[in-house]
Amino acid sequence: MKSKPIVMEHFSTEHTSFVLDFEFTNNITLLMGDSGTGKTVSFSFIKECMALNSDIVCLNYLDYQKNIGDIIRNAEKKLVVIDNADVLLDDDTRKYIALDGKNQYLIIGRNPANIFATKENLFELVSEKEGEQIVLRIKEYL
């Protein structure tokens, strides 16, 4: 399911020796990959930006006691970034995300079931050393 990003097409931030440089081509981006590839580190960098950018909402395992579904349903014109989505999202919330036309999503996890994702929604993290910095980007999965 391919649809244009409705909040932002590009996100970039610099953190010490790391640069996050994400180009979004879809409204729902599923960031997949093995443990240790930098997914949660990327989430942490984005979460730091949330304090200065009101267009970003970040949710992770620390939010497990909150009603994630209500937070998402009440958000509007936000980039909703969810780490450990496998654990946080129930089936109803996954279905809501798949049909949500008011927010954009970056979903980090291993199980895209019930989000009605297609190959165009699946991405992985790649890193490249540029000078003294490591640049993290997303690219199509497989």
Side-chain angles (χ1 to χ4, degrees):
M1 175 172 63
K2 185 169 177 125
S3 58
K4 284 183 69 171
I6 62 173
V7 177
M8 63 181 73
E9 293 181 4
H10 182 253
F11 176 83
S12 183
T13 186
E14 191 170 326
H15 186 278
T16 60
S17 61
F18 291 92
V19 174
L20 219 61
D21 189 24
F22 289 3
E23 292 288 334
F24 297 111
T25 57
N26 296 290
N27 200 45
I28 298 175
T29 301
L30 299 167
L31 185 56
M32 315 294 286
D34 294 330
S35 294
T37 57
K39 297 183 308 293
T40 297
V41 167
S42 296
F43 174 84
S44 298
F45 296 159
I46 296 169
K47 188 169 182 166
E48 285 180 7
C49 294
M50 185 174 74
L52 301 174
N53 187 337
S54 62
D55 292 338
I56 300 172
V57 172
C58 292
L59 302 165
N60 69 0
Y61 69 94
L62 297 173
D63 299 306
Y64 77 96
Q65 291 182 324
K66 297 177 182 175
N67 188 327
I68 302 299
D70 283 349
I71 292 170
I72 291 171
R73 284 176 184 81
N74 290 323
E76 189 168 336
K77 295 185 180 171
K78 303 290 184 190
L79 172 64
V80 180
V81 184
I82 306 167
D83 193 20
N84 302 110
D86 308 4
V87 175
L88 286 181
L89 300 178
D90 60 26
D91 284 345
D92 287 339
T93 304
R94 291 172 188 243
K95 290 174 186 170
Y96 179 85
I97 288 169
L99 302 172
D100 185 5
K102 14 173 233 184
N103 296 297
Q104 181 177 336
Y105 294 89
L106 173 58
I107 299 172
I108 303 169
R110 292 190 180 95
N111 180 6
N114 293 332
I115 298 184
F116 306 115
T118 64
K119 180 180 175 261
E120 289 83 19
N121 299 99
L122 303 177
F123 291 82
E124 65 183 325
L125 201 59
V126 293
S127 62
E128 184 178 335
K129 188 158 173 89
E130 292 183 8
E132 297 296 315
Q133 295 181 310
I134 296 174
V135 179
L136 300 169
R137 294 186 173 93
I138 56 175
K139 74 168 194 165
E140 290 182 6
Y141 191 70
L142 301 178

PDB file of all heavy atoms in Angstrom, residues 59-84:
ATOM      1  N   LEU A  59       6.634   6.683  20.610  1.00  0.00           N
ATOM      2  CA  LEU A  59       6.120   5.708  21.572  1.00  0.00           C
ATOM      3  C   LEU A  59       7.047   4.497  21.573  1.00  0.00           C
ATOM      4  O   LEU A  59       7.470   4.031  20.513  1.00  0.00           O
ATOM      5  CB  LEU A  59       4.709   5.272  21.173  1.00  0.00           C
ATOM      6  CG  LEU A  59       3.673   6.385  21.050  1.00  0.00           C
ATOM      7  CD1 LEU A  59       2.448   5.901  20.302  1.00  0.00           C
ATOM      8  CD2 LEU A  59       3.295   6.906  22.425  1.00  0.00           C
ATOM      9  N   ASN A  60       7.344   3.984  22.769  1.00  0.00           N
ATOM     10  CA  ASN A  60       8.154   2.763  22.861  1.00  0.00           C
ATOM     11  C   ASN A  60       7.744   1.949  24.089  1.00  0.00           C
ATOM     12  O   ASN A  60       6.698   2.187  24.682  1.00  0.00           O
ATOM     13  CB  ASN A  60       9.652   3.084  22.855  1.00  0.00           C
ATOM     14  CG  ASN A  60      10.132   3.789  24.110  1.00  0.00           C
ATOM     15  OD1 ASN A  60       9.373   4.057  25.031  1.00  0.00           O
ATOM     16  ND2 ASN A  60      11.409   4.101  24.150  1.00  0.00           N
ATOM     17  N   TYR A  61       8.581   1.003  24.468  1.00  0.00           N
ATOM     18  CA  TYR A  61       8.247   0.072  25.551  1.00  0.00           C
ATOM     19  C   TYR A  61       7.944   0.784  26.864  1.00  0.00           C
ATOM     20  O   TYR A  61       7.226   0.250  27.708  1.00  0.00           O
ATOM     21  CB  TYR A  61       9.373  -0.943  25.742  1.00  0.00           C
ATOM     22  CG  TYR A  61      10.639  -0.345  26.293  1.00  0.00           C
ATOM     23  CD1 TYR A  61      10.902  -0.342  27.650  1.00  0.00           C
ATOM     24  CD2 TYR A  61      11.575   0.250  25.447  1.00  0.00           C
ATOM     25  CE1 TYR A  61      12.057   0.223  28.164  1.00  0.00           C
ATOM     26  CE2 TYR A  61      12.730   0.816  25.942  1.00  0.00           C
ATOM     27  CZ  TYR A  61      12.970   0.808  27.298  1.00  0.00           C
ATOM     28  OH  TYR A  61      14.104   1.373  27.796  1.00  0.00           O
ATOM     29  N   LEU A  62       8.453   1.997  27.047  1.00  0.00           N
ATOM     30  CA  LEU A  62       8.168   2.746  28.274  1.00  0.00           C
ATOM     31  C   LEU A  62       6.704   3.180  28.340  1.00  0.00           C
ATOM     32  O   LEU A  62       6.206   3.540  29.391  1.00  0.00           O
ATOM     33  CB  LEU A  62       9.076   3.967  28.375  1.00  0.00           C
ATOM     34  CG  LEU A  62      10.572   3.673  28.483  1.00  0.00           C
ATOM     35  CD1 LEU A  62      11.375   4.957  28.405  1.00  0.00           C
ATOM     36  CD2 LEU A  62      10.886   2.902  29.753  1.00  0.00           C
ATOM     37  N   ASP A  63       6.019   3.132  27.200  1.00  0.00           N
ATOM     38  CA  ASP A  63       4.629   3.557  27.129  1.00  0.00           C
ATOM     39  C   ASP A  63       3.646   2.393  27.189  1.00  0.00           C
ATOM     40  O   ASP A  63       2.464   2.574  26.924  1.00  0.00           O
ATOM     41  CB  ASP A  63       4.407   4.331  25.821  1.00  0.00           C
ATOM     42  CG  ASP A  63       5.276   5.562  25.739  1.00  0.00           C
ATOM     43  OD1 ASP A  63       5.220   6.382  26.682  1.00  0.00           O
ATOM     44  OD2 ASP A  63       6.006   5.714  24.755  1.00  0.00           O
ATOM     45  N   TYR A  64       4.113   1.206  27.541  1.00  0.00           N
ATOM     46  CA  TYR A  64       3.271   0.013  27.470  1.00  0.00           C
ATOM     47  C   TYR A  64       2.036   0.087  28.358  1.00  0.00           C
ATOM     48  O   TYR A  64       1.030  -0.563  28.090  1.00  0.00           O
ATOM     49  CB  TYR A  64       4.071  -1.259  27.773  1.00  0.00           C
ATOM     50  CG  TYR A  64       4.365  -1.480  29.226  1.00  0.00           C
ATOM     51  CD1 TYR A  64       3.558  -2.297  30.012  1.00  0.00           C
ATOM     52  CD2 TYR A  64       5.451  -0.873  29.832  1.00  0.00           C
ATOM     53  CE1 TYR A  64       3.813  -2.490  31.357  1.00  0.00           C
ATOM     54  CE2 TYR A  64       5.727  -1.057  31.172  1.00  0.00           C
ATOM     55  CZ  TYR A  64       4.909  -1.877  31.928  1.00  0.00           C
ATOM     56  OH  TYR A  64       5.170  -2.053  33.250  1.00  0.00           O
ATOM     57  N   GLN A  65       2.080   0.892  29.410  1.00  0.00           N
ATOM     58  CA  GLN A  65       0.923   0.990  30.298  1.00  0.00           C
ATOM     59  C   GLN A  65      -0.081   2.038  29.837  1.00  0.00           C
ATOM     60  O   GLN A  65      -1.166   2.132  30.375  1.00  0.00           O
ATOM     61  CB  GLN A  65       1.374   1.294  31.725  1.00  0.00           C
ATOM     62  CG  GLN A  65       2.104   0.129  32.360  1.00  0.00           C
ATOM     63  CD  GLN A  65       2.505   0.417  33.795  1.00  0.00           C
ATOM     64  OE1 GLN A  65       2.857   1.534  34.122  1.00  0.00           O
ATOM     65  NE2 GLN A  65       2.426  -0.594  34.635  1.00  0.00           N
ATOM     66  N   LYS A  66       0.291   2.812  28.818  1.00  0.00           N
ATOM     67  CA  LYS A  66      -0.616   3.829  28.293  1.00  0.00           C
ATOM     68  C   LYS A  66      -1.518   3.192  27.245  1.00  0.00           C
ATOM     69  O   LYS A  66      -1.218   2.126  26.706  1.00  0.00           O
ATOM     70  CB  LYS A  66       0.180   4.969  27.660  1.00  0.00           C
ATOM     71  CG  LYS A  66       1.051   5.710  28.649  1.00  0.00           C
ATOM     72  CD  LYS A  66       1.854   6.773  27.954  1.00  0.00           C
ATOM     73  CE  LYS A  66       2.771   7.486  28.931  1.00  0.00           C
ATOM     74  NZ  LYS A  66       3.643   8.432  28.235  1.00  0.00           N
ATOM     75  N   ASN A  67      -2.596   3.868  26.911  1.00  0.00           N
ATOM     76  CA  ASN A  67      -3.478   3.374  25.861  1.00  0.00           C
ATOM     77  C   ASN A  67      -2.949   3.901  24.525  1.00  0.00           C
ATOM     78  O   ASN A  67      -3.278   5.011  24.108  1.00  0.00           O
ATOM     79  CB  ASN A  67      -4.912   3.824  26.099  1.00  0.00           C
ATOM     80  CG  ASN A  67      -5.862   3.150  25.136  1.00  0.00           C
ATOM     81  OD1 ASN A  67      -5.515   2.856  23.992  1.00  0.00           O
ATOM     82  ND2 ASN A  67      -7.075   2.910  25.600  1.00  0.00           N
ATOM     83  N   ILE A  68      -2.096   3.110  23.888  1.00  0.00           N
ATOM     84  CA  ILE A  68      -1.439   3.502  22.640  1.00  0.00           C
ATOM     85  C   ILE A  68      -2.485   3.822  21.569  1.00  0.00           C
ATOM     86  O   ILE A  68      -2.344   4.788  20.821  1.00  0.00           O
ATOM     87  CB  ILE A  68      -0.491   2.379  22.148  1.00  0.00           C
ATOM     88  CG1 ILE A  68       0.561   2.050  23.220  1.00  0.00           C
ATOM     89  CG2 ILE A  68       0.158   2.753  20.829  1.00  0.00           C
ATOM     90  CD1 ILE A  68       1.457   3.169  23.608  1.00  0.00           C
ATOM     91  N   GLY A  69      -3.538   3.018  21.506  1.00  0.00           N
ATOM     92  CA  GLY A  69      -4.599   3.243  20.521  1.00  0.00           C
ATOM     93  C   GLY A  69      -5.212   4.620  20.653  1.00  0.00           C
ATOM     94  O   GLY A  69      -5.420   5.321  19.659  1.00  0.00           O
ATOM     95  N   ASP A  70      -5.498   5.042  21.878  1.00  0.00           N
ATOM     96  CA  ASP A  70      -6.092   6.369  22.103  1.00  0.00           C
ATOM     97  C   ASP A  70      -5.107   7.482  21.738  1.00  0.00           C
ATOM     98  O   ASP A  70      -5.505   8.495  21.162  1.00  0.00           O
ATOM     99  CB  ASP A  70      -6.527   6.539  23.563  1.00  0.00           C
ATOM    100  CG  ASP A  70      -7.828   5.812  23.865  1.00  0.00           C
ATOM    101  OD1 ASP A  70      -8.502   5.352  22.922  1.00  0.00           O
ATOM    102  OD2 ASP A  70      -8.154   5.703  25.066  1.00  0.00           O
ATOM    103  N   ILE A  71      -3.843   7.297  22.073  1.00  0.00           N
ATOM    104  CA  ILE A  71      -2.830   8.310  21.734  1.00  0.00           C
ATOM    105  C   ILE A  71      -2.785   8.505  20.224  1.00  0.00           C
ATOM    106  O   ILE A  71      -2.786   9.629  19.717  1.00  0.00           O
ATOM    107  CB  ILE A  71      -1.443   7.906  22.281  1.00  0.00           C
ATOM    108  CG1 ILE A  71      -1.449   7.950  23.813  1.00  0.00           C
ATOM    109  CG2 ILE A  71      -0.346   8.807  21.709  1.00  0.00           C
ATOM    110  CD1 ILE A  71      -0.229   7.342  24.461  1.00  0.00           C
ATOM    111  N   ILE A  72      -2.781   7.405  19.490  1.00  0.00           N
ATOM    112  CA  ILE A  72      -2.713   7.472  18.029  1.00  0.00           C
ATOM    113  C   ILE A  72      -4.005   8.062  17.456  1.00  0.00           C
ATOM    114  O   ILE A  72      -3.965   8.916  16.566  1.00  0.00           O
ATOM    115  CB  ILE A  72      -2.411   6.079  17.453  1.00  0.00           C
ATOM    116  CG1 ILE A  72      -0.977   5.684  17.814  1.00  0.00           C
ATOM    117  CG2 ILE A  72      -2.630   6.050  15.949  1.00  0.00           C
ATOM    118  CD1 ILE A  72      -0.626   4.252  17.499  1.00  0.00           C
ATOM    119  N   ARG A  73      -5.137   7.632  17.962  1.00  0.00           N
ATOM    120  CA  ARG A  73      -6.414   8.143  17.435  1.00  0.00           C
ATOM    121  C   ARG A  73      -6.605   9.634  17.687  1.00  0.00           C
ATOM    122  O   ARG A  73      -7.278  10.326  16.928  1.00  0.00           O
ATOM    123  CB  ARG A  73      -7.577   7.353  18.036  1.00  0.00           C
ATOM    124  CG  ARG A  73      -7.742   5.983  17.416  1.00  0.00           C
ATOM    125  CD  ARG A  73      -8.837   5.168  18.101  1.00  0.00           C
ATOM    126  NE  ARG A  73      -8.929   3.836  17.572  1.00  0.00           N
ATOM    127  CZ  ARG A  73      -8.149   2.806  17.908  1.00  0.00           C
ATOM    128  NH1 ARG A  73      -7.186   2.982  18.798  1.00  0.00           N
ATOM    129  NH2 ARG A  73      -8.312   1.612  17.364  1.00  0.00           N
ATOM    130  N   ASN A  74      -5.993  10.155  18.754  1.00  0.00           N
ATOM    131  CA  ASN A  74      -6.117  11.576  19.083  1.00  0.00           C
ATOM    132  C   ASN A  74      -5.047  12.439  18.410  1.00  0.00           C
ATOM    133  O   ASN A  74      -5.115  13.663  18.482  1.00  0.00           O
ATOM    134  CB  ASN A  74      -6.068  11.779  20.597  1.00  0.00           C
ATOM    135  CG  ASN A  74      -7.314  11.249  21.272  1.00  0.00           C
ATOM    136  OD1 ASN A  74      -8.414  11.362  20.742  1.00  0.00           O
ATOM    137  ND2 ASN A  74      -7.148  10.639  22.431  1.00  0.00           N
ATOM    138  N   ALA A  75      -4.072  11.810  17.778  1.00  0.00           N
ATOM    139  CA  ALA A  75      -3.017  12.557  17.087  1.00  0.00           C
ATOM    140  C   ALA A  75      -3.536  13.034  15.726  1.00  0.00           C
ATOM    141  O   ALA A  75      -4.372  12.382  15.107  1.00  0.00           O
ATOM    142  CB  ALA A  75      -1.796  11.669  16.905  1.00  0.00           C
ATOM    143  N   GLU A  76      -3.019  14.174  15.295  1.00  0.00           N
ATOM    144  CA  GLU A  76      -3.396  14.685  13.982  1.00  0.00           C
ATOM    145  C   GLU A  76      -2.213  15.440  13.378  1.00  0.00           C
ATOM    146  O   GLU A  76      -1.603  16.275  14.040  1.00  0.00           O
ATOM    147  CB  GLU A  76      -4.595  15.612  14.094  1.00  0.00           C
ATOM    148  CG  GLU A  76      -5.164  15.994  12.750  1.00  0.00           C
ATOM    149  CD  GLU A  76      -6.515  16.674  12.853  1.00  0.00           C
ATOM    150  OE1 GLU A  76      -7.224  16.474  13.853  1.00  0.00           O
ATOM    151  OE2 GLU A  76      -6.841  17.418  11.925  1.00  0.00           O
ATOM    152  N   LYS A  77      -1.891  15.089  12.136  1.00  0.00           N
ATOM    153  CA  LYS A  77      -0.773  15.692  11.400  1.00  0.00           C
ATOM    154  C   LYS A  77       0.540  15.485  12.142  1.00  0.00           C
ATOM    155  O   LYS A  77       1.331  16.418  12.311  1.00  0.00           O
ATOM    156  CB  LYS A  77      -1.035  17.161  11.114  1.00  0.00           C
ATOM    157  CG  LYS A  77      -2.217  17.354  10.188  1.00  0.00           C
ATOM    158  CD  LYS A  77      -2.411  18.791   9.816  1.00  0.00           C
ATOM    159  CE  LYS A  77      -3.608  18.888   8.890  1.00  0.00           C
ATOM    160  NZ  LYS A  77      -4.038  20.224   8.622  1.00  0.00           N
ATOM    161  N   LYS A  78       0.759  14.269  12.599  1.00  0.00           N
ATOM    162  CA  LYS A  78       1.970  13.918  13.330  1.00  0.00           C
ATOM    163  C   LYS A  78       2.723  12.806  12.595  1.00  0.00           C
ATOM    164  O   LYS A  78       2.124  11.973  11.916  1.00  0.00           O
ATOM    165  CB  LYS A  78       1.636  13.389  14.734  1.00  0.00           C
ATOM    166  CG  LYS A  78       0.827  14.323  15.588  1.00  0.00           C
ATOM    167  CD  LYS A  78       1.609  15.521  16.026  1.00  0.00           C
ATOM    168  CE  LYS A  78       0.773  16.385  16.973  1.00  0.00           C
ATOM    169  NZ  LYS A  78       1.394  17.657  17.235  1.00  0.00           N
ATOM    170  N   LEU A  79       4.036  12.814  12.757  1.00  0.00           N
ATOM    171  CA  LEU A  79       4.837  11.648  12.418  1.00  0.00           C
ATOM    172  C   LEU A  79       4.860  10.816  13.687  1.00  0.00           C
ATOM    173  O   LEU A  79       5.455  11.220  14.691  1.00  0.00           O
ATOM    174  CB  LEU A  79       6.259  12.021  11.999  1.00  0.00           C
ATOM    175  CG  LEU A  79       7.217  10.846  11.820  1.00  0.00           C
ATOM    176  CD1 LEU A  79       6.771   9.939  10.675  1.00  0.00           C
ATOM    177  CD2 LEU A  79       8.637  11.317  11.595  1.00  0.00           C
ATOM    178  N   VAL A  80       4.170   9.690  13.674  1.00  0.00           N
ATOM    179  CA  VAL A  80       4.092   8.815  14.840  1.00  0.00           C
ATOM    180  C   VAL A  80       5.163   7.743  14.680  1.00  0.00           C
ATOM    181  O   VAL A  80       5.116   6.955  13.740  1.00  0.00           O
ATOM    182  CB  VAL A  80       2.693   8.175  14.980  1.00  0.00           C
ATOM    183  CG1 VAL A  80       2.631   7.279  16.201  1.00  0.00           C
ATOM    184  CG2 VAL A  80       1.609   9.249  15.043  1.00  0.00           C
ATOM    185  N   VAL A  81       6.129   7.751  15.587  1.00  0.00           N
ATOM    186  CA  VAL A  81       7.245   6.819  15.538  1.00  0.00           C
ATOM    187  C   VAL A  81       7.061   5.820  16.673  1.00  0.00           C
ATOM    188  O   VAL A  81       6.960   6.211  17.839  1.00  0.00           O
ATOM    189  CB  VAL A  81       8.597   7.553  15.682  1.00  0.00           C
ATOM    190  CG1 VAL A  81       9.758   6.584  15.536  1.00  0.00           C
ATOM    191  CG2 VAL A  81       8.698   8.692  14.663  1.00  0.00           C
ATOM    192  N   ILE A  82       6.992   4.528  16.314  1.00  0.00           N
ATOM    193  CA  ILE A  82       6.711   3.496  17.311  1.00  0.00           C
ATOM    194  C   ILE A  82       7.836   2.473  17.280  1.00  0.00           C
ATOM    195  O   ILE A  82       8.042   1.789  16.281  1.00  0.00           O
ATOM    196  CB  ILE A  82       5.366   2.797  17.027  1.00  0.00           C
ATOM    197  CG1 ILE A  82       4.241   3.830  16.913  1.00  0.00           C
ATOM    198  CG2 ILE A  82       5.061   1.761  18.106  1.00  0.00           C
ATOM    199  CD1 ILE A  82       2.956   3.274  16.343  1.00  0.00           C
ATOM    200  N   ASP A  83       8.582   2.385  18.376  1.00  0.00           N
ATOM    201  CA  ASP A  83       9.620   1.364  18.514  1.00  0.00           C
ATOM    202  C   ASP A  83       9.019   0.183  19.264  1.00  0.00           C
ATOM    203  O   ASP A  83       8.122   0.350  20.078  1.00  0.00           O
ATOM    204  CB  ASP A  83      10.823   1.927  19.271  1.00  0.00           C
ATOM    205  CG  ASP A  83      12.045   1.017  19.181  1.00  0.00           C
ATOM    206  OD1 ASP A  83      12.103   0.174  18.272  1.00  0.00           O
ATOM    207  OD2 ASP A  83      12.949   1.171  20.029  1.00  0.00           O
ATOM    208  N   ASN A  84       9.520  -0.998  18.995  1.00  0.00           N
ATOM    209  CA  ASN A  84       8.990  -2.230  19.589  1.00  0.00           C
ATOM    210  C   ASN A  84       7.506  -2.374  19.282  1.00  0.00           C
ATOM    211  O   ASN A  84       6.705  -2.765  20.136  1.00  0.00           O
ATOM    212  CB  ASN A  84       9.213  -2.278  21.098  1.00  0.00           C
ATOM    213  CG  ASN A  84      10.665  -2.178  21.482  1.00  0.00           C
ATOM    214  OD1 ASN A  84      11.087  -1.181  22.035  1.00  0.00           O
ATOM    215  ND2 ASN A  84      11.447  -3.188  21.157  1.00  0.00           N
TER     216      ASN A  84
END
